[in-house]
Amino acid sequence: MAYPYELGFQDATSPIMEELLQFHDHTLMIVFLISTLVLYLISLMLTTKLTHTSTMDAQEVETIWTILPAIILIMIALPSLRILYMMDEVNNPLLTVKTMSHQWYWSYEYTDYDELNFDSYMIPTTELKPGELRLLEVDNRVVLPMELPVRVLISSEDVLHSWAVPSLGLKTDAIPGRLNQTILTSTRPGLFYGQCSEICGSNHSFMPIVIEMVPLKTFENWCTSML
């Protein structure tokens, strides 16, 4: 999860988030190189007295500053499209969880199990135990198996919401009358926090999401205890 004064992204927990972090670094390096080159040219023009009369109307220069930006855009677009297709691909999920948003809580249903569903409300500040996080803890966590593809179906029963977990690279809108889907896979166990990221009313800030990733055996025991 995020920590105070953090300037970067949260640590990646899923393969998709790792790809997003690499793409961010790749794009940031391109921006850094372009900014350095432009700053160097500006400082050069302001400090030197030497001028070339044929620079501004030379065919070669015009060709370079037309083709070079196109190449840079291609270098950004290709990995971006690759990640977009990876995020949209849902291949053979081993578990499906249906998420319904309300004002202002989440409802979860494990569709592969009978009668395994619950509501998830934020724990009020006055009821927090020592070590628990304000505005992020819930009374019922979403327990999922790690290292397995899990499909999440997301919709809403009232207004627009957005189901977002940054460390997993997830952000999917919950729209009334429409069923969106996303896929998640965690490479390690742990607790992963998120929040509704679509302004949905007066208590928008009080819709946290807590996903608990556990080994498959622990997940099976939890399902047995919930049924």
Side-chain angles (χ1 to χ4, degrees):
M1 62 166 293
Y3 55 86
Y5 305 106
E6 181 178 5
L7 298 179
F9 291 98
Q10 298 182 25
D11 292 338
T13 307
S14 66
I16 290 295
M17 190 59 188
E18 292 177 359
E19 293 286 343
L20 290 171
L21 289 178
Q22 291 180 4
F23 176 68
H24 169 266
D25 296 341
H26 166 74
T27 308
L28 192 63
M29 184 56 65
I30 293 176
V31 172
F32 175 75
L33 292 176
I34 293 174
S35 302
T36 303
L37 177 61
V38 171
L39 183 62
Y40 170 73
L41 292 176
I42 291 175
S43 61
L44 197 64
M45 287 188 294
L46 292 176
T47 56
T48 184
K49 296 182 180 179
L50 298 177
T51 58
H52 299 275
T53 56
S54 60
T55 297
M56 300 306 296
D57 58 352
Q59 188 69 35
E60 294 81 4
V61 174
E62 293 182 3
T63 303
I64 291 174
W65 70 40
T66 301
I67 294 178
L68 191 59
I71 295 175
I72 293 174
L73 290 176
I74 292 174
M75 292 174 60
I76 296 175
L78 291 180
S80 174
L81 292 174
R82 172 176 169 271
I83 296 175
L84 284 175
Y85 278 106
M86 289 174 60
M87 295 175 68
D88 199 44
E89 194 72 24
V90 179
N91 288 323
N92 301 322
L94 299 182
L95 179 68
T96 299
V97 178
K98 185 169 72 173
T99 302
M100 296 297 295
S101 60
H102 312 264
Q103 288 181 310
W104 287 270
Y105 64 96
W106 301 96
S107 296
Y108 299 97
E109 178 183 349
Y110 291 71
T111 58
D112 299 287
Y113 298 86
D114 293 332
E115 302 300 324
L116 181 50
N117 54 78
F118 53 84
D119 297 332
S120 181
Y121 290 86
M122 186 195 75
I123 299 178
T125 304
T126 56
E127 300 178 12
L128 288 175
K129 298 177 182 177
E132 291 185 336
L133 302 172
R134 178 178 174 270
L135 301 182
L136 288 177
E137 297 291 350
V138 296
D139 55 356
N140 291 307
R141 296 170 176 171
V142 184
V143 180
L144 297 174
M146 57 177 285
E147 297 180 337
L148 294 176
V150 178
R151 177 174 58 183
V152 183
L153 304 176
I154 302 168
S155 187
S156 173
E157 287 199 353
D158 38 51
V159 298
L160 290 176
H161 300 271
S162 187
W163 199 76
V165 184
S167 58
L168 290 169
L170 298 177
K171 185 181 183 299
T172 304
D173 289 339
I175 303 173
R178 177 172 178 172
L179 195 64
N180 291 328
Q181 72 173 355
T182 187
I183 193 84
L184 67 89
T185 303
S186 175
T187 56
R188 56 189 172 90
L191 287 177
F192 308 105
Y193 294 87
Q195 290 178 301
C196 175
S197 59
E198 185 76 40
I199 297 177
C200 55
S202 60
N203 288 336
H204 159 68
S205 302
F206 309 110
M207 290 184 64
I209 302 161
V210 182
I211 298 180
E212 183 176 357
M213 288 293 183
V214 297
L216 180 58
K217 185 64 177 178
T218 306
F219 173 75
E220 292 174 345
N221 295 335
W222 175 82
C223 290
T224 302
S225 65
M226 293 290 290
L227 295 174

